[in-house]
Amino acid sequence: MTTDTPTDAEQPTEEPALTVDELAARAGVTVRTVRFYGTRGLLPPPVIGPRRVGHYGRDHLARLALIEELQHQGMTLAAIERYMQQLPADLSPRDLAIHRAVVASWAPDVVEPVTREELRRRAGRELSDDDLERLAAMGVVRRDDDGYRVDLGLLRLGVGLLDVPLSLEAILASRKVLIEHSRAAAHELSQLFRGEVAQRDAQDVKSLSAHMEPLVVQALLTAFQRSLKEELREWTSEVGGGS
């Protein structure tokens, strides 16, 4: 029985190749945790290979990362189970990563002092001196007298970018583009909504304020995701000669 979720046309399929020990190490959790999530239905069963050895793939890694993010946001196990049950069964690892990004976007804007060991634990991986320099350049961490000060809302994003095959200059340029355009969109939308409620009573203003942020974030994310998907489709078509 194959449990890897099929990816869409833009991503090649990948057979599951990780043992439970390798999956746990890659995800930064224990083998016991992986098996526990499996018994609760949070992870699909592995592919059973020769000698009855179970193998896991990118779908399992993506689901573990999403579960970890939900826990980081303070959700209980019961709430996480409800959240995961509501997700479509055929979500690809990329779709799961987008769900994780949405969850992470609500992380509080908190900077905390940590030791290097605590930073490694929170990152879920070893961090070389070069990794720390890249995280510092991205504004994720800053060297302090007794350790580091880390922006918890950016840590997971920054750690994820360490494995992206882009130069630090390209990442910083991308960050600048995103910040500039998101601020411009936020300003224009804010002005539009202010004009809309300018002549309304206080209750309407409070109602719009309460609903605006999550709805606008969802709308912006959906629009950007579809636009980016189209751009990447055109780009990969050009690179691959239309294949």
Side-chain angles (χ1 to χ4, degrees), residues 177-193 212 216 220:
V177 169
L178 289 170
I179 289 175
E180 289 180 351
H181 285 275
S182 62
R183 283 179 176 171
H187 176 73
E188 291 188 26
L189 287 170
S190 178
Q191 293 300 109
L192 174 65
F193 294 145
M212 185 175 70
V216 169
L220 285 174

Side-chain angles (χ1 to χ4, degrees), residues 18-40 43 46 53-54 56 60 64:
L18 300 174
T19 65
V20 65
D21 297 277
E22 293 169 335
L23 175 69
R26 185 83 66 87
V29 300
T30 66
V31 171
R32 182 178 179 181
T33 296
V34 172
R35 288 177 171 151
F36 173 73
Y37 288 156
T39 62
R40 300 300 293 251
L43 291 176
V53 175
Y56 301 80
H60 297 90
L64 282 172

Side-chain angles (χ1 to χ4, degrees), residues 150-172:
V150 56
D151 186 330
L152 298 180
L154 292 177
L155 179 60
R156 295 173 189 278
L157 172 62
V159 171
L161 286 171
L162 293 176
D163 297 324
V164 175
L166 290 173
S167 67
L168 180 59
E169 291 75 16
I171 291 174
L172 294 179

